[in-house]
Amino acid sequence: MIRDQGLVSKIWRFAVWAVAGLFILNLIGVIAAVVVNSFATRWLGTWLPIGLTTKWYFSAWKEFQLSSVVLVTFQIVFTVVLISGVLGVTTAYALARRDFPGKRVVVLLFLLPLLIPPLTYGIPLATVLYQLGLGGSFWGVVLINLVPSLPFVVLVMIPFIEQIDPRIEAAARVFGAGTGSLFLRILLPLLLPGMLAALLLVLVRTIAMFELTFLIAGPTSQTLVVSLYYAVFASGVRAGQSIDAMAVIYMVTTLFWLILALQFVNPSQIVARAKQQPAS
Amino acid sequence: MSTPSLRYRLAARGFDGTTLLILPGLAVMLGLFIYPFLYGLADSVMPKEGPWYANYVTFFSDPFQYRTIASTLWLALPVTIVNLAFAVPIAFRVRLMTRQRLLTTILVLPITLGTVFVADGLLTFLGPQGWFNRVLVLIGLLDAPMKLTNNYWGVFASLVITGFPFAFLLTLSYVTGIDPAIEQAAATLGANARQRFMKVFLPLLVPGLAVTFCLAFVQAFAVFPSAVLLGAPAGPTRVISIAAYQAAFEQYDHSLGTAIAMVMGAVELVVVLIVLGARSFFYRGPTGGTKG
């Protein structure tokens, strides 16, 4: 790699790293503030709280009925992942393997939900779902969350499928494999890494998806992030530490899946499929 | 000679059993995206009272409503520009690193934490007694704590923290997609770092940066929870999504609510189209050696 050794480029290099460092420092500060406060007995006007306690976790767990909220969150999220996984992979397979008139329109249809703010399609969709009697229900939340997650799976899977040589499938056909065994024994093993990556990312995104769930969720179908919003929104009634304890619980749930997802994907390749240069 | 069967003719044009696999996914998108969208469009021109355009008149004649467009743009455009302006130089540095994984992991974190967690954390962190103000007072940059929450800057900070990582990851993947041989060729011909950036990388990056700008802008434009929690939702950070939400779910006027949602989508698409249109003035060709 080419490196300039002049003074200006040294200063520039330092400035860039300083900005990146400041950003990370503030980010750590934000997260640490929540974590520290969730363990604080009292924290007013000092650098650190007077004492530490874990009682807020117990009170948050009871106060916000988190056991049921966490259960509902995972039921919703896994349903979304399952449906968008099955439909997304089949759609992506057809789009990757076949060229047909109108394909560009179909691809655009799957691109649009990712280009339009969630509230723009969320408000009319929520209105329709309320009129169908799905407002506040489990399936209402699942359906509204499918709109961004299904296209996401499709767009992540298309390049994965295109990488697989179609001659492998043709060879399997020649040896007499039916569609079922072709899928189970040839495609599934080859696609599994890509599917895992896409589905874990959908999982993380759906846990964090606030806007759409907020529009449709009722008292029994709130996910963790919506409960957290209501807790922060109505703060003053509840102890701040208790809210932050809930925020930490939320963070741990997303973090767990994120770290799992990062075992399978390089985050810089999520968004575009660029050729990775071997670092030299 | 008989004509080939219908099945064969369809297959020749790309329609066969495999093509039909798109149907379930397509049905979901038509049912959950296109139909509600058209329904919303129709709903927005059927106001509770008055002529068909009454909702749009209501929106565009009430300064409390139409000013939300300006306040949303006033947040989203600077945030997007700041995020991109920081993302490009940092991505150029990170591209040279051998261990990108830890850094990228740290940077992905705020995306997954979501705006609600970040807003909650910033309320403590940026508050008058928060660490941010305390450090600035301690090192003597400030005499008294600044007010950074429940105003414009709180929302701004939240959008930078959740938006920068996203802009950075996109930029990084575009930057690493450029064939290093191009840079080496420029260096061989005697171009210094600045010239290599301005004359080689920047023209190649413009299409990618335009896409990054659009996606980052869409995120910032949709700002909602942090504008409520960290901003002044009745004042300078009353963004258009708050207006749409309030109309639809607080005043129970779904017709007006969808009308505002349509205005929101239209304004956002106009910005995206301007940016993508401007991109066509630049080089559009392969940037990678083998990528093509």
Side-chain angles (χ1 to χ4, degrees):
Chain A
M1 198 45 72
I2 317 143
R3 274 191 192 268
D4 290 307
Q5 294 302 332
L7 182 67
V8 180
S9 49
K10 271 184 185 153
I11 294 172
W12 173 247
R13 210 174 300 160
F14 174 78
V16 170
W17 284 125
V19 169
L22 273 179
F23 179 83
I24 290 172
L25 204 64
N26 280 296
L27 178 65
I28 292 171
V30 170
I31 295 171
V34 174
V35 175
V36 169
N37 197 32
S38 72
F39 286 109
T41 47
R42 232 173 97 82
W43 191 10
L44 284 170
T46 46
W47 281 94
L48 284 170
I50 300 168
L52 297 176
T53 172
T54 53
K55 71 170 178 177
W56 301 112
Y57 284 87
F58 297 101
S59 74
W61 194 264
K62 269 219 305 265
E63 204 178 336
F64 301 108
Q65 292 160 352
L66 283 189
S67 45
S68 68
V69 172
V70 169
L71 183 71
V72 167
T73 304
F74 281 113
Q75 282 172 339
I76 288 172
V77 168
F78 281 114
T79 314
V80 170
V81 167
L82 190 73
I83 297 176
S84 51
V86 171
L87 295 182
V89 171
T90 47
T91 309
Y93 183 75
L95 286 176
R97 283 285 186 255
R98 290 290 180 275
D99 239 340
F100 53 91
K103 183 175 162 181
R104 288 169 69 98
V105 179
V106 175
V107 172
L108 183 70
L109 181 63
F110 282 99
L111 261 174
L112 269 181
L114 303 175
L115 273 178
I116 291 180
L119 276 180
T120 300
Y121 58 81
I123 288 176
L125 176 55
T127 312
V128 170
L129 291 175
Y130 271 106
Q131 281 174 354
L132 292 174
L134 287 169
S137 73
F138 175 85
W139 285 106
V141 178
V142 168
L143 287 177
I144 207 167
N145 272 299
L146 279 180
V147 179
S149 41
L150 175 61
F152 185 79
V153 176
V154 172
L155 294 177
V156 172
M157 287 310 293
I158 286 178
F160 257 102
I161 295 171
E162 280 173 344
Q163 285 171 10
I164 297 175
D165 195 334
R167 283 176 299 187
I168 297 175
E169 289 163 44
R173 289 265 189 220
V174 169
F175 286 115
T179 308
S181 60
L182 173 76
F183 181 75
L184 278 178
R185 301 175 68 171
I186 310 289
L187 282 175
L188 203 61
L190 286 171
L191 285 180
L192 213 54
M195 276 169 67
L196 258 160
L199 294 185
L200 279 168
L201 290 171
V202 167
L203 190 96
V204 174
R205 276 170 57 107
T206 313
I207 295 177
M209 175 46 86
F210 168 77
E211 282 92 343
L212 293 174
T213 313
F214 177 64
L215 291 182
I216 194 90
T220 57
S221 55
Q222 270 179 21
T223 59
L224 208 43
V225 65
V226 176
S227 308
L228 178 62
Y229 172 83
Y230 281 122
V232 183
F233 186 63
S235 63
V237 190
R238 301 181 178 92
Q241 293 96 321
S242 182
I243 296 166
D244 283 344
M246 179 173 173
V248 171
I249 294 171
Y250 169 77
M251 182 177 80
V252 170
T253 42
T254 51
L255 216 57
F256 172 78
W257 296 105
L258 174 70
I259 290 170
L260 196 63
L262 288 176
Q263 305 302 313
F264 297 97
V265 273
N266 178 351
S268 66
Q269 287 176 315
I270 297 167
V271 276
R273 187 179 28 122
K275 192 179 71 169
Q276 277 289 309
Q277 306 300 338
S280 50
Chain B
M1 283 286 276
S2 63
T3 51
S5 71
L6 179 67
R7 192 175 168 151
Y8 183 82
R9 275 180 289 152
L10 280 175
R13 298 199 60 193
F15 289 102
D16 60 9
T18 307
T19 319
L20 295 182
L21 285 177
I22 62 161
L23 288 182
L26 196 62
V28 169
M29 292 315 288
L30 289 176
L32 292 177
F33 183 67
I34 295 297
Y35 169 71
F37 205 84
L38 295 178
Y39 176 89
L41 208 57
D43 193 27
S44 72
V45 295
M46 286 189 279
K48 277 184 175 168
E49 51 191 52
W52 63 270
Y53 49 82
N55 281 326
Y56 293 94
V57 171
T58 312
F59 181 82
F60 283 107
S61 59
D62 180 0
F64 188 60
Q65 301 285 18
Y66 70 70
R67 280 195 191 136
T68 55
I69 297 182
S71 49
T72 314
L73 288 175
W74 183 236
L75 261 173
L77 284 174
V79 163
T80 312
I81 292 167
V82 164
N83 281 343
L84 268 188
F86 284 124
V88 173
I90 295 179
F92 265 88
R93 282 282 129 223
V94 170
R95 140 193 93 109
L96 306 171
M97 283 169 60
T98 40
R99 294 186 150 268
Q100 298 174 1
R101 212 169 171 100
L102 179 68
L103 184 73
T104 40
T105 307
I106 294 172
L107 288 173
V108 188
L109 211 73
I111 303 180
T112 54
L113 290 180
T115 41
V116 180
F117 181 96
V118 171
D120 180 40
L122 282 172
L123 280 175
T124 315
F125 181 72
L126 291 181
Q129 290 297 332
W131 286 334
F132 188 80
N133 270 315
R134 281 178 164 273
V135 169
L136 289 189
V137 171
L138 185 76
I139 59 175
L141 271 178
L142 288 179
D143 295 326
M146 266 191 300
K147 184 173 159 52
L148 290 168
T149 50
N150 300 106
N151 61 13
Y152 178 84
W153 295 108
V155 187
F156 193 93
S158 144
L159 286 176
V160 168
I161 285 196
T162 48
F164 170 74
F166 180 72
F168 168 77
L169 285 180
L170 266 172
T171 314
L172 182 66
S173 61
Y174 281 115
V175 169
T176 49
I178 294 177
D179 192 342
I182 300 175
E183 186 188 16
Q184 274 147 14
T188 310
L189 295 173
N192 63 26
R194 205 184 121 78
Q195 288 169 326
R196 290 200 304 270
F197 177 76
M198 295 304 289
K199 299 214 162 139
V200 176
F201 275 118
L202 201 59
L204 289 175
L205 265 185
V206 164
L209 288 183
V211 173
T212 311
F213 184 94
C214 289
L215 292 177
F217 175 76
V218 171
Q219 274 202 337
F221 191 81
V223 51
F224 180 54
S226 55
V228 177
L229 299 177
L230 267 172
T237 71
R238 188 173 187 272
V239 290
I240 193 163
S241 46
I242 296 180
Y245 175 78
Q246 281 179 339
F249 296 99
E250 284 178 13
Q251 299 161 14
Y252 295 107
D253 188 348
H254 54 82
S255 179
L256 179 61
T258 41
I260 300 177
M262 294 298 151
V263 173
M264 180 178 172
V267 171
E268 187 247 17
L269 279 181
V270 166
V271 174
V272 167
L273 289 179
I274 290 174
V275 172
L276 291 182
R279 176 182 73 156
S280 58
F281 292 112
F282 293 89
Y283 170 81
R284 292 180 73 181
T287 55
T290 55
K291 201 173 149 196

